[in-house]
């Protein structure tokens, strides 16, 4: 289990430094609860690429553990060369969530002077990244819980919950802590086309926590807001630029525009490891494009003409001016501006 006892653990390291990784296979949820053991760095790369493990913080933890797998049984004289081979390879798994690159850089630093303890150090570092992830989830929840007033309606997009992290989640951590404080509220989970992380994952994990959750198709959000059923929106993030522009699951930008049009606050919840201060603004953030079949042949049924042209960006960027505040494990950034971001992250 994760430290969030009602959601099964997303990622677990089994054994010592020569052990392996056990993942909850999120492609099988909510129908089946299936674990998958990854014993090679190739297994981890594949699991990240096909979204068996997904969500920015969880991708970072999985990649760090993948480095350990890739370095097992490597003689000291080959360690440095192999380390860079493995990290370069893992960098090609998915491009948008910066936590992947952040975790790989940490792993490289901790083994920059190879010796016969290097594998052990890498393993300890991967476990430390996972533990920090659990702590940051909890702190985001504590900082954000009071944004959820008694009786409110909350809309979320994609899955930024326990399944996307090693702990309570980011956006959903705020809801879990609000619920622990005795707050009653109702959540609308956008289905999140094309891979349905909202319907399959967010609805599943909130229901496990006995939180009142209603699934809507993505194109229903405007109507639900117009009916005054939504008091706030909370989403996660995959990469936040220095000016606060935020990449998150495709559709998030549209939700932010709708929130603005209806006068509803739009919050982003993310750990400091999701900030990429080397990117001045959102135009610099790489956006993953995925296979057409996710749209034309999703979940085993053809839903568009054979060979039709498809465009399938997996993320979009919400401009900072549409974001009411960003909730991090270090505090709340409001208004979302470069100077405030630095103040909170460095504070
Ligand atoms: O393609 P996914 O499922 O990895 O996309 C996940 C998201 O967009 C999440 O909102 C984001 O990673 C934050 S998870 C705490």
């Amino acid at each position: 289990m994760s430290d969030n006892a009602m959601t099964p653990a997303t990622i677990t390291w089994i054994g010592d430094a020569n052990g392996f990784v056990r993942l909850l296979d999120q492609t099988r949820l909510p129908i089946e609860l299936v674990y998958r053991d990854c014993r090679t760095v190739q297994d981890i790369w594949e699991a990240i690429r096909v979204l068996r493990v997904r969500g920015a913080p969880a991708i970072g933890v999985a990649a760090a553990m993948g480095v350990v797998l890739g370095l097992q049984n490597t003689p000291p004289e080959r360690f440095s060369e192999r380390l860079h081979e493995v990290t370069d390879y893992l960098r090609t798994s998915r491009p948008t969530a910066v936590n992947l690159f952040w975790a790989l850089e940490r792993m490289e630093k901790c083994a920059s002077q190879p010796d016969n303890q290097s594998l052990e150090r890498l393993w300890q570092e991967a476990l430390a990244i996972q533990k920090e992830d659990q702590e940051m989830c909890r702190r985001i929840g504590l900082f954000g819980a009071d944004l959820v007033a008694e009786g409110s309606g909350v809309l979320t997009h994609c899955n930024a919950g326990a399944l996307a992290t090693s702990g309570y989640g980011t956006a959903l951590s705020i809801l879990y802590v609000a619920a622990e404080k005795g707050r009653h509220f109702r959540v609308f989970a956008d289905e999140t086309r094309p891979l349905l992380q909202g319907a399959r994952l967010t609805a599943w994990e909130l229901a496990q926590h006995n939180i009142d959750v209603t699934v809507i198709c993505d194109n229903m959000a405007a109507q639900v807001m117009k009916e005054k059923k939504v008091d706030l929106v909370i989403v996660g993030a995959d990469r936040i630029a220095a000016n606060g522009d935020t990449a998150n699951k495709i559709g998030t930008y549209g939700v932010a525009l709708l929130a603005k049009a209806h006068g509803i606050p739009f919050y982003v919840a993310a750990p400091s490891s999701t900030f990429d201060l080397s990117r001045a603004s959102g135009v610099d953030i790489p956006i993953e494009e995925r296979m057409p079949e996710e749209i034309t042949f999703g979940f085993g049924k053809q839903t568009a003409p054979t060979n039709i042209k498809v465009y399938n960006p997996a993320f979009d960027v919400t401009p900072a001016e549409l974001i009411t505040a960003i909730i991090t494990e270090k505090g709340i950034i409001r208004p979302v501006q470069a100077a405030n971001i630095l103040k909170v992250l460095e504070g």
Side-chain angles (χ1 to χ4, degrees), residues 22-41:
R22 180 160 292 159
L23 297 176
L24 178 63
D25 185 348
Q26 299 190 33
T27 63
R28 310 280 287 269
L29 285 171
I31 313 292
E32 295 171 302
L33 201 64
V34 176
Y35 290 90
R36 193 176 177 97
D37 291 346
C38 295
R39 295 176 189 272
T40 66
V41 62

Side-chain angles (χ1 to χ4, degrees), residues 51 53-57 59 94 97 157-161 164-165 169-171 195 197 201 235-238 247-250 252 269 271 288 290 314-315:
L51 275 61
V53 59
R54 31 84 29 219
I59 291 172
R94 289 190 79 188
H157 190 76
C158 194
N159 173 265
T165 65
T170 57
L195 295 182
Q197 289 93 330
L201 307 178
V235 297
D238 286 84
N248 191 49
K249 179 52 56 193
I250 190 75
T252 303
E288 176 180 15
R290 294 186 63 85
F315 298 93

Side-chain angles (χ1 to χ4, degrees), residues 60-83:
V61 174
M65 292 184 176
V67 173
V68 185
L69 294 177
L71 270 295
Q72 287 168 344
N73 305 314
T74 304
E77 66 279 9
R78 275 222 63 222
F79 209 88
S80 272
E81 187 195 342
R82 176 72 185 150
L83 178 63

